[in-house]
Amino acid sequence: MRIRFLVGAKLLEVLSRGVFILFCTYSLPLVDAGKFGLTSTVIGLTSFLIGFERLIDVQRRMAGASQVVIHQQLRGTLHFFGVQYAFVLPILAFLLGLIAQWPPFIVGLFILIAVGEHLANQAYLMTLIDREAHAFLLAVVFKNILLLIAIFLGKWHTPNDFNLFWVMHIWGLASLLFITIVTVLWHRRTRLFQTQNIALPSPQRIPEQYRASKLHFLMGLAAIIALQADRFVVGATLSAEDIGIYFRNITLAGLALQFFSIVSYARISPDIYRLGREGALIQARKTVKTEYHRFALVLICLIGLALGINFVMHNPASRFHIAAPFVAILTVGVLLRTAADYSGLLLLSAGADTRLFHHQITSVIVGLPCMALMAALLGLPGAFSGTLIAPAILLALNMNSTGKP
């Protein structure tokens, strides 16, 4: 029941955020849509840099521990995040003011949003560790739904003023409210646990936390670059209008990957890790293969149905600059990426973390320059086609180590 609640709440959170991203991407003017896509990408990258993949180590260390012990360790993790805030955010603010030439108030809104998104990500991971911390995940759902309603109302009441800076203002206010709520929830839980006279282990020191998560961070960074660096390549090589078109198409692929991560990958990961510890790698490979075939079949059917309906209705998607050839290319990219992720999961279950990291780095080093060259030479079609190179390389390397997923 708890797992179903977590999956359901997380799906609602992702759905509400996904609708927000889609609505803004397709409702904003084309040039603003491209800027919104780049802004969202930088916010996501900032959240990742702050998080430093800390909760992977915390999950491993705290599995089966009591709530009060988990809470004590999470306090140490929050101290770590405080150091990250002090290090990452001033540098980011300086770069935004220098490169993007945003005024200080908008830079402040950006920082506020980035902190809110980071805490939202950590709230879900915290709920996975602490079975009684579901209030934090519900706060994320509340924030996303409130933001979505505010954006809908804003577009309806003031359509002429609906631009990127307007969206940033509303997003910033929703983030401020969310940060306030989770701060109150955290202090209440802290006071509750302080009343329990239990001997607690000392939290990890900051340097220890950096060492424990260094490899996880590097692996996650390679994965983030492989998944999202194409946005920056497009931003540097294409025109403002083509950037908007790119984001209006690529957003759909991003949602498909999020759906895969929550419904499929995260669901079977514990079983694959268990089978890996037991040495049952053949069974793990069979499980992954079955799960991948299910996901691929569902994705192909949904995309085929959507394209068929669009054709019968005389291409209404063209109003939003969504083109069937681009959607087809991105669908192949999603299939390649998910197959590579499944093969990577098999490597992780066998303890081959370093090998997977080398595969990720190789795919990025080769794939990104190729994509940049194709985008520069062929424009928008080259940019879309170039997105296939990195996941194809990663899949080939992973399969060479594990066999077909």
Side-chain angles (χ1 to χ4, degrees):
M1 181 63 70
R2 175 178 174 268
I3 296 299
R4 290 180 180 178
F5 166 78
L6 291 179
V7 173
K10 184 59 178 177
L11 280 176
L12 182 58
E13 184 258 320
V14 170
L15 178 62
S16 57
R17 190 179 189 280
V19 172
F20 163 69
I21 296 294
L22 283 174
F23 185 79
C24 291
T25 302
Y26 296 125
S27 297
L28 287 168
L30 186 59
V31 173
D32 268 10
K35 293 179 180 178
F36 174 77
L38 288 171
T39 300
S40 301
T41 301
V42 176
I43 288 173
L45 179 60
T46 303
S47 175
F48 168 78
L49 291 176
I50 294 171
F52 206 77
E53 295 290 76
R54 265 304 296 142
L55 287 192
I56 293 178
D57 174 61
V58 175
Q59 281 181 297
R60 288 181 176 180
R61 296 175 63 252
M62 291 293 101
S66 65
Q67 288 179 281
V68 65
V69 172
I70 291 174
H71 187 80
Q72 172 73 356
Q73 293 300 315
L74 288 177
R75 289 182 64 185
T77 305
L78 282 180
H79 294 159
F80 174 87
F81 291 152
V83 173
Q84 288 290 91
Y85 286 142
F87 177 70
V88 173
L89 297 182
I91 297 176
L92 179 64
F94 172 77
L95 292 177
L96 287 174
L98 181 66
I99 299 176
Q101 295 184 341
W102 282 359
F105 179 72
I106 299 299
V107 172
L109 283 177
F110 184 97
I111 297 300
L112 188 62
I113 294 169
V115 172
E117 294 303 305
H118 168 251
L119 292 178
N121 292 335
Q122 303 308 315
Y124 173 63
L125 296 174
M126 176 182 173
T127 308
L128 292 175
I129 301 172
D130 186 350
R131 62 182 181 274
E132 297 299 328
H134 55 269
F136 293 92
L137 180 56
L138 293 178
V140 181
V141 175
F142 170 75
K143 185 263 291 184
N144 285 357
I145 293 177
L146 182 65
L147 174 61
L148 187 59
I149 293 173
I151 291 295
F152 281 155
L153 292 177
K155 175 64 176 178
W156 180 38
H157 283 292
T158 58
N160 295 329
D161 296 328
F162 191 73
N163 54 35
L164 176 60
F165 282 171
W166 193 95
V167 171
M168 292 284 288
H169 280 74
I170 299 302
W171 200 352
L173 288 174
S175 298
L176 178 60
L177 177 61
F178 169 71
I179 293 170
T180 302
I181 292 173
V182 296
T183 300
V184 171
L185 290 174
W186 178 262
H187 282 297
R188 284 185 176 180
R189 287 176 64 82
T190 299
R191 287 199 302 269
L192 176 63
F193 289 133
Q194 285 175 344
T195 62
Q196 303 180 25
N197 187 19
I198 299 177
L200 297 174
S202 300
Q204 285 177 293
R205 293 182 298 174
I206 301 298
E208 292 175 348
Q209 296 190 54
Y210 275 111
R211 286 194 296 268
S213 294
K214 180 176 64 175
L215 179 58
H216 299 144
F217 171 74
L218 292 175
M219 292 175 63
L221 181 61
I224 288 287
I225 292 174
L227 283 172
Q228 297 190 352
D230 61 295
R231 277 77 163 170
F232 298 107
V233 171
V234 165
T237 56
L238 300 183
S239 66
E241 290 76 13
D242 281 348
I243 294 172
I245 294 173
Y246 184 83
F247 273 99
R248 286 188 172 179
N249 286 269
I250 201 72
T251 299
L252 300 174
L255 290 178
L257 288 173
Q258 277 193 321
F259 178 83
F260 155 78
S261 177
I262 296 168
V263 174
S264 183
Y265 187 92
R267 178 174 55 82
I268 71 167
S269 293
D271 288 338
I272 300 302
Y273 286 132
R274 176 181 56 81
L275 291 171
R277 286 197 303 269
E278 296 172 355
L281 297 180
I282 295 178
Q283 181 60 38
R285 190 174 294 111
K286 288 181 179 178
T287 302
V288 163
K289 181 178 180 180
T290 300
E291 194 68 24
Y292 175 72
H293 287 167
R294 288 175 180 171
F295 172 78
L297 179 62
V298 171
L299 178 65
I300 292 172
C301 288
L302 288 176
I303 296 300
L305 178 62
L307 292 177
I309 293 174
N310 183 64
F311 177 78
V312 170
M313 297 180 66
H314 306 291
N315 198 21
S318 62
R319 293 174 47 208
F320 302 101
H321 301 89
I322 297 176
F326 296 156
V327 173
I329 292 173
L330 292 173
T331 301
V332 174
V334 171
L335 293 174
L336 289 173
R337 181 69 211 190
T338 51
D341 286 345
Y342 274 133
S343 298
L345 179 60
L346 292 174
L347 285 174
L348 290 174
S349 70
D353 301 40
T354 303
R355 187 186 305 175
L356 176 59
F357 175 61
H358 291 161
H359 293 174
Q360 291 172 325
I361 290 296
T362 302
S363 69
V364 169
I365 291 175
V366 177
L368 280 184
C370 290
M371 180 194 172
L373 180 62
M374 294 176 67
L377 294 177
L378 303 176
L380 198 56
F384 279 110
S385 300
T387 61
L388 303 180
I389 298 175
I393 293 173
L394 180 59
L395 175 60
L397 293 174
N398 288 350
M399 286 176 55
N400 184 58
S401 298
T402 64
K404 296 183 179 180

